Amino acid sequence: MTMFVRTASERDLAAVRSLLVETWHATYDAIYGVDRVTAITDDWHSMASLQRRLDRPNSEFLVADDGKAIGGMAFAAADDRGDTVMLHQLYVRPTCQGQGIGGMLLDEILDDFPDAKRIRLEVEAQNAQAIAFYEAYGFTRTGTTGDCGSAGSAIPALIFERPLGTSQ
């Protein structure tokens, strides 16, 4: 299967939501439990939430598509100054993992913010596969948060960063 990366559109949102729900359950059910994962995906990955991302300024919402199905997605947004890009989401459908799709999505995100100085992300400490992926791309751990994803989430996570632009 050959995937290509493109900007997401409104017609992709149902498929993106399906991918996120499937990926979150596969990754996090053992950590948080099915009920909590369902509650998180119903909130963070609702159609309304995804729709807002399409229209957000200074952001990039990407999908990896083979012409029949979406195998991965990524969403990142720059802060108000444009110095720091937050990688909010990078997910690859479990059946598509290990095929380079995550790398394709991340490469595109890294190229899409030429004026930014750094990219930051939050990752669950027990998600060893994701941590190894990001470390392979030059990210280093810079801290922790107790509210991954949104204020008040009470989800602990590690914070990783890497430089962008000329400071690489």
Side-chain angles (χ1 to χ4, degrees):
M1 143 180 47
T2 301
M3 291 276 174
F4 59 96
V5 174
R6 63 176 173 79
T7 300
S9 70
E10 194 161 350
R11 73 179 186 277
D12 298 317
L13 295 183
V16 168
R17 174 166 163 66
S18 174
L19 175 146
L20 288 168
V21 169
E22 177 185 341
T23 304
W24 263 72
H25 280 290
T27 306
Y28 298 114
D29 280 1
I31 298 170
Y32 302 125
V34 175
D35 291 343
R36 185 154 188 220
V37 170
T38 298
I40 291 168
T41 58
D42 285 351
D43 179 21
W44 292 0
H45 308 136
S46 68
M47 293 297 283
S49 176
L50 295 173
Q51 178 68 48
R52 284 191 298 276
R53 293 192 167 169
L54 283 177
D55 303 324
R56 184 166 170 180
N58 303 315
S59 70
E60 190 65 58
F61 187 164
L62 303 172
V63 293
D65 184 348
D66 69 359
K68 295 181 181 143
I70 291 175
M73 65 79 60
F75 177 76
D79 63 6
D80 291 339
R81 290 190 320 265
D83 289 344
T84 302
V85 173
M86 185 70 183
L87 179 62
H88 293 281
Q89 296 173 299
L90 194 158
Y91 293 100
V92 176
R93 189 177 303 281
T95 58
C96 298
Q97 291 176 3
Q99 300 175 30
I101 296 167
M104 289 170 46
L105 288 162
L106 184 56
D107 286 342
E108 186 68 29
I109 291 289
L110 295 174
D111 289 343
D112 283 348
F113 296 92
D115 298 329
K117 293 181 172 67
R118 75 195 62 78
I119 184 166
R120 179 178 295 147
L121 60 90
E122 298 170 348
V123 63
E124 161 60 51
Q126 295 180 57
N127 192 344
Q129 185 177 354
I131 291 169
F133 172 81
Y134 292 121
E135 287 177 337
Y137 269 85
F139 285 83
T140 57
R141 182 177 165 185
T142 59
T144 61
T145 180
D147 290 317
C148 180
S150 64
S153 74
I155 298 172
L158 306 177
I159 299 170
F160 280 75
E161 287 186 8
R162 72 165 265 187
L164 291 174
T166 57
S167 60
Q168 283 182 352

